[in-house]
PDB file of all heavy atoms in Angstrom:
ATOM      1  N   PRO A 261     109.167  80.984 161.093  1.00 98.00           N
ATOM      2  CA  PRO A 261     107.943  80.258 160.776  1.00 98.00           C
ATOM      3  C   PRO A 261     106.704  81.072 161.151  1.00 98.00           C
ATOM      4  O   PRO A 261     106.724  81.834 162.121  1.00 98.00           O
ATOM      5  CB  PRO A 261     108.032  78.992 161.636  1.00 98.00           C
ATOM      6  CG  PRO A 261     109.381  78.960 162.232  1.00 98.00           C
ATOM      7  CD  PRO A 261     110.004  80.308 162.092  1.00 98.00           C
ATOM      8  N   ILE A 262     105.663  80.879 160.352  1.00 98.00           N
ATOM      9  CA  ILE A 262     104.367  81.522 160.617  1.00 98.00           C
ATOM     10  C   ILE A 262     103.421  80.437 161.120  1.00 98.00           C
ATOM     11  O   ILE A 262     103.318  79.371 160.494  1.00 98.00           O
ATOM     12  CB  ILE A 262     103.806  82.143 159.328  1.00 98.00           C
ATOM     13  CG1 ILE A 262     104.717  83.287 158.877  1.00 98.00           C
ATOM     14  CG2 ILE A 262     102.369  82.617 159.527  1.00 98.00           C
ATOM     15  CD1 ILE A 262     104.345  83.894 157.541  1.00 98.00           C
ATOM     16  N   VAL A 263     102.763  80.690 162.247  1.00 99.00           N
ATOM     17  CA  VAL A 263     101.929  79.647 162.862  1.00 99.00           C
ATOM     18  C   VAL A 263     100.576  80.238 163.274  1.00 99.00           C
ATOM     19  O   VAL A 263     100.523  81.251 163.976  1.00 99.00           O
ATOM     20  CB  VAL A 263     102.650  79.056 164.106  1.00 99.00           C
ATOM     21  CG1 VAL A 263     101.799  77.973 164.750  1.00 99.00           C
ATOM     22  CG2 VAL A 263     104.025  78.496 163.738  1.00 99.00           C
ATOM     23  N   ASN A 264      99.499  79.577 162.838  1.00 98.00           N
ATOM     24  CA  ASN A 264      98.149  79.957 163.297  1.00 98.00           C
ATOM     25  C   ASN A 264      97.960  79.496 164.734  1.00 98.00           C
ATOM     26  O   ASN A 264      98.298  78.348 165.064  1.00 98.00           O
ATOM     27  CB  ASN A 264      97.077  79.220 162.476  1.00 98.00           C
ATOM     28  CG  ASN A 264      96.909  79.780 161.076  1.00 98.00           C
ATOM     29  OD1 ASN A 264      97.280  80.918 160.801  1.00 98.00           O
ATOM     30  ND2 ASN A 264      96.330  78.972 160.192  1.00 98.00           N
ATOM     31  N   LEU A 265      97.363  80.344 165.569  1.00 98.00           N
ATOM     32  CA  LEU A 265      96.923  79.891 166.893  1.00 98.00           C
ATOM     33  C   LEU A 265      95.402  80.004 166.954  1.00 98.00           C
ATOM     34  O   LEU A 265      94.837  81.098 167.075  1.00 98.00           O
ATOM     35  CB  LEU A 265      97.575  80.694 168.017  1.00 98.00           C
ATOM     36  CG  LEU A 265      99.069  80.466 168.230  1.00 98.00           C
ATOM     37  CD1 LEU A 265      99.572  81.228 169.454  1.00 98.00           C
ATOM     38  CD2 LEU A 265      99.447  78.991 168.370  1.00 98.00           C
ATOM     39  N   GLY A 266      94.760  78.869 166.801  1.00 98.00           N
ATOM     40  CA  GLY A 266      93.304  78.764 166.881  1.00 98.00           C
ATOM     41  C   GLY A 266      92.986  77.366 167.357  1.00 98.00           C
ATOM     42  O   GLY A 266      93.892  76.566 167.629  1.00 98.00           O
ATOM     43  N   THR A 267      91.695  77.066 167.459  1.00 98.00           N
ATOM     44  CA  THR A 267      91.333  75.717 167.905  1.00 98.00           C
ATOM     45  C   THR A 267      91.017  74.800 166.735  1.00 98.00           C
ATOM     46  O   THR A 267      91.030  73.587 166.877  1.00 98.00           O
ATOM     47  CB  THR A 267      90.066  75.746 168.796  1.00 98.00           C
ATOM     48  OG1 THR A 267      88.960  76.163 167.989  1.00 98.00           O
ATOM     49  CG2 THR A 267      90.228  76.682 169.971  1.00 98.00           C
ATOM     50  N   GLY A 268      90.668  75.415 165.599  1.00 97.00           N
ATOM     51  CA  GLY A 268      90.208  74.618 164.459  1.00 97.00           C
ATOM     52  C   GLY A 268      88.698  74.388 164.500  1.00 97.00           C
ATOM     53  O   GLY A 268      88.134  73.830 163.560  1.00 97.00           O
ATOM     54  N   ASN A 269      88.031  74.836 165.588  1.00 96.00           N
ATOM     55  CA  ASN A 269      86.570  74.679 165.697  1.00 96.00           C
ATOM     56  C   ASN A 269      85.902  76.047 165.624  1.00 96.00           C
ATOM     57  O   ASN A 269      86.340  76.975 166.292  1.00 96.00           O
ATOM     58  CB  ASN A 269      86.165  74.073 167.049  1.00 96.00           C
ATOM     59  CG  ASN A 269      86.795  72.726 167.255  1.00 96.00           C
ATOM     60  OD1 ASN A 269      86.790  71.897 166.362  1.00 96.00           O
ATOM     61  ND2 ASN A 269      87.357  72.523 168.433  1.00 96.00           N
TER      62      ASN A 269
END
Side-chain angles (χ1 to χ4, degrees):
I262 294 174
V263 180
N264 285 339
L265 290 185
T267 66
N269 301 314

